[in-house]
């Protein structure tokens, strides 16, 4: 069985009633069942992971509304789960980034996130100065930052998620480890060109069915991009039982497939964080 790291998993949906726009995403965009936002049981998730070779999963954890489920799973099974932090307040960054720093010290955090379309009514592209404190802090902590790219599913403005904005970000912050998440549709070719251009940039295929990925990306993975593309499901929006078999069915060489499913995430999210955490512990001793 192939080894898999799932780079993006949601276990918090069942903790509270979802807003209307999330219900529309479920019903109109993903055509998902009513149970999509149900409470998740640890055993249920582990069973699905075990059945498809998923050794580790990264759970979303919001600063604004901390997920008790994600924290519980990470505490009970630290060998299987890590956390991704979202919800940094970009307009009031000082206190928010202090909180992020504290969470990274105390919890098994492997990356943080920002969604340009999902705050400020889509007014702030990634080149806006509002992001700069976050970029600096992530670079300082050696913490990867994952940013939504591509048109979002909800009926909100999407132009700010054009990956072309990351061209200037990668240029100005070469120390920042940056990953595009949720694909890059309809701007795949721009994303691929940026991946070729910048060593510090990656792309995660979360929320995308592998069989729907464009041939241009598959070709890139087979050639210059064998270390650049990371697997993610966005579970339960897309179940592991669907997307892992679809990934296995891609016409990829064995080494490229192993990189996509496991090694690229291990290197980008986990390996450097482990080394950096050891350095910080030594500095504080």
């Amino acid at each position: 069985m192939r080894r898999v790291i799932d780079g993006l998993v949601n276990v918090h949906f069942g903790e509270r009633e979802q807003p209307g726009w999330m219900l529309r995403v479920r019903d109109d965009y993903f055509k998902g069942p009513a149970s999509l936002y149900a409470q998740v049981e640890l055993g249920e998730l582990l069973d699905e992971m075990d059945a498809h070779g998923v050794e580790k999963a990264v759970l979303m954890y919001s600063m604004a509304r901390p997920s008790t489920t994600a924290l519980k799973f990470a505490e009970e099974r630290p060998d299987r789960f890590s956390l991704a932090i979202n919800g940094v307040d970009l307009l009031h960054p000082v206190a928010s980034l202090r909180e992020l720093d504290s969470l990274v010290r105390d919890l098994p955090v492997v990356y943080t996130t920002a969604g340009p379309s999902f705050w400020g009514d889509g007014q702030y592209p990634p080149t806006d100065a509002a992001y700069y404190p976050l970029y600096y802090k992530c670079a300082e902590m050696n913490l990867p930052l994952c940013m939504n790219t591509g048109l979002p599913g909800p009926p909100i403005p999407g132009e700010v998620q054009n990956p072309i904005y990351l061209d200037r970000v990668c240029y100005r912050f070469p120390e920042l480890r940056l990953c595009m998440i949720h694909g890059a549709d309809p701007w795949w070719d721009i994303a691929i060109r940026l991946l070729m251009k910048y060593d510090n940039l990656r792309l995660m295929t979360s929320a995308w069915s592998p069989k729907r990925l464009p041939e241009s990306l598959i070709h890139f993975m087979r050639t210059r991009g064998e270390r650049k593309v990371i697997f993610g499901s966005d579970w339960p929006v897309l179940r592991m039982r669907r997307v892992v078999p679809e990934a296995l069915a891609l016409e990829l060489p064995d080494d490229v497939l192993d990189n996509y499913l496991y090694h690229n995430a291990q290197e980008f999210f986990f390996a450097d964080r482990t080394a950096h955490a050891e350095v910080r512990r030594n500095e504080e001793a």
Side-chain angles (χ1 to χ4, degrees), residues 39-73:
Q39 182 62 42
V40 180
E41 298 298 329
L42 177 59
E44 170 197 0
L45 179 54
L46 287 173
D47 286 347
E48 188 167 348
M49 291 170 64
D50 291 342
H52 297 285
V54 180
E55 295 184 5
K56 295 185 283 190
V58 182
L59 310 179
M60 299 303 297
Y61 181 90
S62 173
M63 289 172 56
R65 293 184 174 182
S67 169
T68 56
T69 306
L71 189 58
K72 175 176 178 289
F73 287 7

Side-chain angles (χ1 to χ4, degrees), residues 2-102:
R2 301 275 182 181
R3 303 174 73 189
V4 181
I5 294 175
D6 193 330
L8 200 160
V9 168
N10 303 284
V11 297
H12 60 279
F13 289 148
E15 295 177 348
R16 61 186 64 89
E17 185 176 352
Q18 295 299 312
W21 65 268
M22 281 288 286
L23 299 178
R24 291 194 296 275
V25 169
R26 179 194 66 191
D27 298 338
D28 301 335
Y29 192 77
F30 286 106
K31 308 295 183 183
S35 61
L36 187 67
Y37 298 149
Q39 182 62 42
V40 180
E41 298 298 329
L42 177 59
E44 170 197 0
L45 179 54
L46 287 173
D47 286 347
E48 188 167 348
M49 291 170 64
D50 291 342
H52 297 285
V54 180
E55 295 184 5
K56 295 185 283 190
V58 182
L59 310 179
M60 299 303 297
Y61 181 90
S62 173
M63 289 172 56
R65 293 184 174 182
S67 169
T68 56
T69 306
L71 189 58
K72 175 176 178 289
F73 287 7
E75 289 175 342
E76 291 190 11
R77 293 301 304 267
D79 57 324
R80 305 299 296 273
F81 299 111
S82 298
L83 300 176
I85 302 293
N86 66 23
V88 171
D89 186 346
L90 300 177
L91 296 183
H92 303 88
V94 175
S96 193
L97 291 176
R98 284 175 179 162
E99 181 181 356
L100 176 64
D101 185 88
S102 178

Side-chain angles (χ1 to χ4, degrees), residues 125-170:
T127 51
D128 193 277
Y131 291 87
Y132 281 29
L134 176 62
Y135 296 155
Y136 173 81
K137 189 63 177 178
C138 287
E140 180 187 49
M141 294 192 296
N142 197 30
L143 180 69
L145 172 62
C146 290
M147 298 194 73
N148 293 44
T149 47
L151 286 176
I156 54 179
E159 186 269 338
V160 292
Q161 294 192 170
N162 187 328
I164 193 61
Y165 288 110
L166 301 183
D167 184 30
R168 192 175 300 272
V169 175
C170 289

